[in-house]
C-alpha cells in the first residue's frame, strides 16, 4: 500500500549534515556594519553561547547530535513520511508525491528541531534563561517547549498585534511554562521607547528582536535565540532531509524534485540540504524554494549584504533581500514574512544549486484546501506555498506523462490558523502586489556596503 | 531506546473485534419506551442505514474492515504507541507506561475511527447525506472529515453556546466542506420551537440530537449518525486496542492495567475491548474507565433502562445512567458530559470485568499539565482523566515497588482547548459537586420501565 513510510527510532540519524563542508562557494562572512570587516566570534558572545557560535562557523561535514538531544527528538521523531496517494489520485498525475510530516511535533511544526538543540547547548554552556521574539508564535511555542524539556526559563517577546489576535500560541507557551509578553513591552528600553510614542503600538518583528536581544545581553545567565536564518539553525533542521533520504531509500525511491516553503529558509534547508549534497556530487535533482509573491526575497530580491533585522542591530549578512526596511504585507503565512533569506540558502541560490518560485496568497490557500480535502491533514498557511508548488509540478508531470518523484516538507499543521481558512472560504482573503520601486529604494541604502 | 513502538501499515488489523460474541452476559436489547418491548431493526431504518443496524446487533466475533475503510484509515493509522519515558522519570515509578496516540488523526482524536466506517456504510447503502449533532465539536469535525473523504454531504447541528465559544471546530468542519449550524436552528421544527421560546437559546446536546434526527428522517437520502454509545460505534473503535495489543506484543510487553477516559464510552471501549477479551479468557488484567467526578455515570449512577437523549426520542438503553434529565456541569471535557454510558461498557461494568474511577476537573488538569511538561504533547481535557488515573496507578506501583505495565488511550490533543488550560493556570477553573439527591429524583422517573 505504501502510504506510511516509517523510520524506526534506532535508525534516526545520529549526526546533522553541515553543508558548509561541501559548498562550491563558501558563505561570505557576516560583517560589522560600522567597519565593513568580518565579525569575530567574541563579538557574538554576549548574544549566543560560544558552543553555538562555534557551530555557526564550523566546516566539519557531520556534526554529532548529542545523546541528550537525540533523547528529546524521540518525543516526536522520526516523523512519518507519507505518500500523498489521495492527492495524486485527485490530480490524476503519474507523479509519486511524498510529504514529510513535521506537524506531528508537540508545537505542530519543524521548529523544535533547532529549539531543542539550542536549549541543550545553552544549558551545557551554563545558561539558565533564553529570550527570543516571535511573530505569529510558531517559534516562541517551539522554544518554550524545548526550554521546558531542559529546565531553562524562556521569555518570549511576541508582536503585540499577534499576541492579541492569536491567543492560542501564547497559551501553548504558558502551558509549557514559558513567559510571553506583548511587544513593545515596558520591560526593555527599546520597548519603552516605542510605547512612549504609542501606548497601543501594534509592534513588529524588528522591535521584538531588539527587545529580546536587549533582554538577553542585560540579564544574568541569559542568551538570545533565533529560529531561522542562521547557519546553526539550518544545520539542526537537516535531520528532516536526512530522515526523508533514508525513508525514501527504504522503498527504493529517490526524488526528482524536492520542495519546501521558504521564509527565513530553515524548513526549506531542513528538507533539502541532504539532497543538495547529492546534487553537488553530480546527482540530477531539482530543488525548489516556494515563497510568497508578497515577500519574494529570492525571486525579486538582490544578493547583497543587509541587516538581518529591521532595527539594524545585527551584523550584515550576505543574502537575497528585499531590503531590511521592507514591511511585508499582512499575509496569513506569518512565518514567511521576512525581508531576507538564510545566507546558506542565498549562496546556493546564487550558485544555481536551488531555485525559487513565488505564489500568491490565494493560490496557496486554494492548494491548502485541495490538500485538506484529499490527504485530510490541514496544512499551515506557510506549508501551503510548498503544496502549491507540488501541485504545479505534479500537473506538469501529467502533461509530460512522466513518473516523477516529488518530496515535500509538510512543515506544520494549520489547526491554529483556521481563521485564515475561514477568510479564504468566505472570499475575504486578498492578494498583495509587491511595489517593485519601493524595494529598489530600500536596497539603494545598502550600496555603501560591500557586495558579497 | 523503545520510545516509539510503531506498527507498519501492512500489519494494520483487518478486522474489528465484536465483544458481543464473547460477553458472559449479553447486552440487553433496546426497548420501545411505549411498549417496553424490544425494538426491531426496521424501527431504526429511517434513522440508520440497514448495514449499520445489522452491525449493531451482530454477534459475529470478527468483522472484516472493508478495503475502502482500511485505505482511508491509512491516512493516519496505524497510530504510534509511545512509551512515556519522561513521565515515568518524573514520577520515579518502576511502572512502564505506554500511551496510544490517537491525537495524530486529522481532526485530532479517536473519533474518525468510527466516522470513516459510518460514512462508508452509508455511502454503500446509497445515502448521500449525513446529519449529526455535536457539542464541543470533536465528533462533528470527525464526521465532516469522513464524509468529505467519501463524497457525502455532512450537516452538523452544533450546540449554540459551543458554536459561539469554539469557532475553531466549526472552521475545521467547513475546511472539509461540512455544513455547521448553531442549534437550535430555524431549519427544523424542533429547533423552531426552542427559538420561539428564546431567539438566543444557548442550546443543548439533547436539542441538537432532536434536530439532527428530524433532519435525517425528513430529508431525502439522508441518515443520522452518532459518535459514541452504540455497539457499532464501539466496534469500529476496537482498532485502537487491537493495534496496541500488536504493538506491545512486538516488544514482549503485556499490560497489567488498561486505562481510558469515559463519557459515552467509545474511546475507553476502543482501547480496552481487545483486552477484556483476554480477561474473559482468564488473563489477569485490570481495566479502568476514568470519568469526571461531575458526571460519574458508572461510579455514582444506576444500571437501568434509560433514554439515550434528554428529549426522550431514542429507544430505552440498558446502561449506567445519572438519569436522562441530568445536566452535567459545564466542565471543559465536553466529550465526557453524557448522562449515561454505552450499553456494552455498562454490561461489562455490571459484570465486574471493568471498573470505574472518578476524577475532579482540577485533578485532571493538574495531570494534563504534568503530561504536557514531561511528554510534550498537550492532551485534550477528556484525555486528562485517563492521565490522572495513570499517574495514580504509577504512584501506587512506586509505593508497592512493582514493575507494572500500564497502557493508556491518549484519545486526543488539546490544541483547540488551550483556553481551558489558561483558565486552569490562572486559577479560574472550578470543581463541581454532583447533587446526589437530584440524581435519585431523576432516576425515580425510570422506575416505570423494566430493569435490565
Amino acid at each position: 500500500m505504501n502510504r506510511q513510510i516509517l523510520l524506526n527510532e534506532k535508525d534516526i540519524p545520529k549526526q546533522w549534515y553541515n553543508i558548509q563542508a561541501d559548498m562550491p562557494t563558501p558563505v561570505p562572512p557576516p560583517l560589522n556594519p560600522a567597519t565593513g570587516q568580518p565579525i569575530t566570534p567574541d563579538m557574538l558572545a554576549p548574544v549566543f553561547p560560544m558552543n553555538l557560535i562555534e557551530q555557526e562557523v564550523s566546516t566539519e561535514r557531520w556534526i554529532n547530535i548529542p545523546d541528550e538531544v537525540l533523547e528529546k527528538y524521540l518525543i516526536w521523531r522520526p516523523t512519518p513520511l507519507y505518500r500523498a496517494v489521495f492527492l495524486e489520485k485527485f490530480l490524476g498525475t503519474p507523479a509519486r508525491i511524498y510529504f514529510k510530516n513535521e506537524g506531528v511535533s508537540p508545537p505542530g511544526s519543524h521548529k523544535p528541531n533547532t529549539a531543542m538543540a539550542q536549549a541543550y547547548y545553552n544549558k551545557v554552556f551554563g545558561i539558565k534563561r533564553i529570550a527570543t521574539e516571535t511573530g505569529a508564535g510558531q517559534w516562541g511555542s517551539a522554544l518554550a517547549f524545548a526550554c521546558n524539556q531542559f529546565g531553562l526559563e524562556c521569555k518570549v517577546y511576541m508582536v503585540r498585534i499577534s499576541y492579541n489576535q492569536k491567543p492560542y500560541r501564547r497559551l501553548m507557551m504558558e502551558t509549557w511554562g514559558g513567559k510571553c509578553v506583548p511587544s513593545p513591552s515596558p520591560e526593555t528600553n527599546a520597548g519603552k521607547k516605542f510605547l512612549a510614542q504609542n501606548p497601543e503600538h501594534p509592534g513588529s518583528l524588528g522591535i521584538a528582536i531588539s527587545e529580546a536581544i536587549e533582554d538577553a545581553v542585560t540579564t544574568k545567565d541569559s542568551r538570545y535565540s533565533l529560529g531561522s536564518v542562521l547557519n546553526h539553525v539550518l544545520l539542526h533542521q537537516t535531520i528532516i532531509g536526512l530522515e526523508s533520504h533514508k525513508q525514501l531509500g527504504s522503498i527504493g525511491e529517490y526524488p526528482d524534485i524536492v520542495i519546501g516553503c521558504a521564509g527565513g529558509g530553515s524548513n526549506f534547508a531542513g528538507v533539502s540540504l541532504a539532497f543538495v549534497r547529492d546534487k553537488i556530487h553530480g546527482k540530477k535533482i531539482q530543488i525548489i524554494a516556494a515563497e510568497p509573491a508578497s515577500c519574494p526575497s529570492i525571486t525579486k530580491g538582490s544578493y547583497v549584504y543587509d541587516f538581518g533585522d529591521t532595527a539594524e542591530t545585527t551584523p550584515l549578512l550576505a543574502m537575497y533581500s528585499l531590503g531590511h526596511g521592507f514591511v511585508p504585507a499582512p499575509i496569513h503565512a506569518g512565518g514567511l514574512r521576512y525581508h531576507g533569506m538564510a545566507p546558506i540558502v542565498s549562496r546556493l541560490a546564487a550558485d544555481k544549486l536551488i531555485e525559487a518560485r513565488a505564489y500568491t496568497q490565494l493560490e496557496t490557500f486554494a492548494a491548502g484546501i485541495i490538500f485538506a480535502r484529499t490527504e485530510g491533514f490541514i496544512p499551515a498557511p506557510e506549508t501551503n506555498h510548498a503544496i502549491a508548488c507540488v501541485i504545479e509540478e505534479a500537473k506538469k508531470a501529467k502533461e509530460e506523462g512522466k513518473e516523477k518523484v516529488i518530496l515535500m516538507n509538510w512543515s506544520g499543521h494549520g489547526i491554529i490558523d483556521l481563521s485564515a481558512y475561514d477568510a479564504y472560504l468566505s472570499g475575504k482573503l486578498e492578494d498583495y502586489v509587491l511595489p517593485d520601486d519601493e524595494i529598489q529604494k530600500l536596497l539603494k541604502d545598502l550600496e555603501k556596503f560591500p557586495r558579497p
Side-chain angles (χ1 to χ4, degrees), chain A:
Chain A
M1 291 183 267
N2 271 356
R3 156 76 181 164
Q4 291 189 8
I5 301 102
L6 304 176
L7 191 67
N8 285 308
E9 61 183 29
K10 69 175 171 49
D11 298 320
I12 194 171
K14 308 294 187 299
Q15 300 176 309
W16 293 299
Y17 168 57
N18 182 9
I19 198 162
Q20 293 196 77
D22 290 318
M23 290 172 76
T25 321
V27 176
L31 302 182
N32 181 333
T35 64
Q37 293 304 306
I39 56 158
T40 54
D42 59 288
M43 292 170 74
L44 294 173
V47 181
F48 300 108
M50 194 50 75
N51 47 12
L52 282 177
I53 295 170
E54 283 162 9
Q55 237 175 34
E56 183 69 14
V57 297
S58 169
T59 53
E60 204 182 322
R61 181 168 292 112
W62 296 100
I63 294 181
N64 288 336
I65 304 175
D67 284 346
E68 294 83 348
V69 175
L70 271 179
E71 187 198 21
K72 300 298 187 184
Y73 274 176
L74 292 182
I75 292 177
W76 76 99
R77 305 205 71 86
T79 61
L81 181 74
Y82 288 123
R83 176 151 171 211
V85 284
F86 304 97
L87 176 61
E88 288 173 18
K89 204 169 160 186
F90 173 82
L91 297 172
T93 178
R96 296 192 293 284
I97 302 169
Y98 296 89
F99 65 100
K100 180 71 167 164
N101 188 349
E102 291 292 305
V104 299
S105 77
S109 80
H110 67 291
K111 291 284 184 192
N113 296 330
T114 185
M116 206 56 93
Q118 292 191 45
Y120 167 77
Y121 284 111
N122 274 280
K123 168 109 179 176
V124 296
F125 194 69
I127 301 304
K128 304 268 189 290
R129 187 176 164 282
I130 302 181
T132 197
E133 76 288 335
T134 200
Q138 283 276 14
W139 170 243
S141 55
L143 192 65
F145 162 57
C147 284
N148 170 239
Q149 285 291 328
F150 282 109
L152 300 175
E153 276 182 60
C154 180
K155 175 73 167 280
V156 181
Y157 293 85
M158 185 169 183
V159 177
R160 171 171 276 115
I161 188 165
S162 296
Y163 182 93
N164 291 334
Q165 286 174 354
K166 306 194 173 183
Y168 278 59
R169 283 276 164 208
R170 167 178 68 79
L171 298 180
M172 216 185 243
M173 296 177 219
E174 291 171 352
T175 299
W176 285 313
K179 265 194 119 169
C180 176
V181 294
S183 165
S185 79
E187 306 190 24
T188 65
N189 290 327
K192 280 179 203 158
K193 201 180 75 184
F194 288 101
L195 285 177
Q197 293 167 14
N198 175 5
E200 297 301 312
H201 198 297
S204 74
L205 212 50
I207 296 171
I209 292 176
S210 308
E211 286 207 276
I213 294 179
E214 180 186 328
D215 174 320
V217 301
T218 58
T219 312
K220 191 166 175 289
D221 296 333
S222 291
R223 287 296 184 280
Y224 169 72
S225 167
L226 198 63
S228 192
V229 180
L230 299 181
N231 302 342
H232 68 273
V233 177
L234 273 55
L235 173 78
H236 303 149
Q237 293 292 356
T238 58
I239 192 158
I240 303 171
L242 293 168
E243 282 185 6
S244 305
H245 209 289
K246 280 194 178 194
Q247 285 164 308
L248 286 173
S250 75
I251 53 164
E253 290 275 44
Y254 189 87
D256 297 294
I257 309 172
V258 177
I259 296 168
C261 63
S266 81
N267 103 71
F268 167 70
V271 72
S272 67
L273 293 186
F275 297 95
V276 175
R277 175 170 186 249
D278 295 346
K279 189 167 182 169
I280 292 170
H281 292 94
K283 198 99 183 172
K284 202 174 156 288
I285 180 170
Q286 199 178 359
I287 297 167
I288 312 172
E291 54 181 23
S294 58
C295 188
S297 334
I298 309 179
T299 47
K300 292 267 189 106
S302 295
Y303 188 49
V304 293
Y305 261 114
D306 194 3
F307 289 100
D309 68 330
T310 318
E312 307 189 351
T313 55
T314 73
L316 294 172
L317 302 172
M319 56 182 183
Y320 275 92
S321 176
L322 301 163
H324 64 274
F326 176 63
V327 180
I331 55 168
H332 284 278
L336 305 185
R337 294 178 67 238
Y338 183 63
H339 69 277
M341 180 54 60
I344 285 178
V345 174
S346 294
R347 187 63 255 173
L348 295 172
D351 286 345
K352 313 267 183 243
L353 282 161
I354 65 136
E355 63 191 278
R357 291 198 204 144
Y359 298 90
T360 68
Q361 177 154 262
L362 291 175
E363 283 173 329
T364 61
F365 272 91
I369 286 285
I370 288 174
F371 195 92
R373 293 186 182 174
T374 52
E375 295 297 318
F377 297 103
I378 300 172
E382 291 83 358
T383 311
N384 287 344
H385 292 71
I387 298 170
C389 184
V390 165
I391 292 176
E392 185 173 75
E393 286 299 322
K395 285 181 175 170
K396 203 184 292 174
K398 184 180 179 180
E399 282 159 24
E400 297 173 355
K402 282 189 186 159
E403 280 193 27
K404 289 205 172 164
V405 175
I406 303 174
L407 168 66
M408 162 182 55
N409 192 18
W410 203 83
S411 55
H413 68 64
I415 301 300
I416 291 185
D417 308 283
L418 281 164
S419 57
Y421 282 89
D422 189 34
Y424 173 73
L425 290 170
S426 54
K428 287 180 203 144
L429 216 59
E430 285 174 28
D431 271 339
Y432 296 93
V433 180
L434 175 76
D436 269 338
D437 52 338
E438 191 197 317
I439 284 164
Q440 292 320 312
K441 223 163 59 190
L442 287 162
L443 288 172
K444 213 170 157 52
D445 288 349
L446 304 175
E447 284 175 8
K448 59 187 174 208
F449 299 125
R451 295 276 116 178

